[in-house]
Amino acid sequence: MSARLTVAEVAEAFRRHPVTVRKALEGGALHGAQARTGGRWLIQEACAEAWIAGEKCVHRSGKVVPIRRAS
């Protein structure tokens, strides 16, 4: 599994503004996950790389996927 990054980490790594990253997440161009609605976004590194390259990540479902908490 690839590393999960925050919006700030993706913005810094790919030299984009955090608002640009957040808009891409909310618009569906970038795949990410939230533990709850309005919570912090987590993005897999492979998804961020695909977004920058203009491609879709392989597991993209088109909707927000909640993060499962360990029991």
Side-chain angles (χ1 to χ4, degrees), residues 38-49:
R40 180 175 65 162
W41 284 99
L42 292 177
I43 304 109
Q44 288 189 9
E45 191 174 354
C47 294
E49 290 171 355

Side-chain angles (χ1 to χ4, degrees), residues 6 12 19-20 32 49 70:
T6 64
E12 183 178 335
V19 173
T20 302
E49 290 171 355

Side-chain angles (χ1 to χ4, degrees), residues 15-69:
R15 300 186 62 163
R16 299 294 188 270
H17 195 278
V19 173
T20 302
V21 176
R22 197 168 286 109
K23 284 183 179 182
L25 286 162
E26 292 169 354
L30 174 58
H31 180 255
Q34 292 177 301
R36 61 183 171 271
T37 302
R40 180 175 65 162
W41 284 99
L42 292 177
I43 304 109
Q44 288 189 9
E45 191 174 354
C47 294
E49 290 171 355
W51 172 62
I52 290 298
E55 303 168 355
K56 290 185 179 180
C57 58
V58 273
H59 67 281
R60 184 162 169 201
S61 64
K63 56 180 149 177
V64 175
V65 179
I67 298 172
R68 306 268 187 239
R69 294 189 180 182

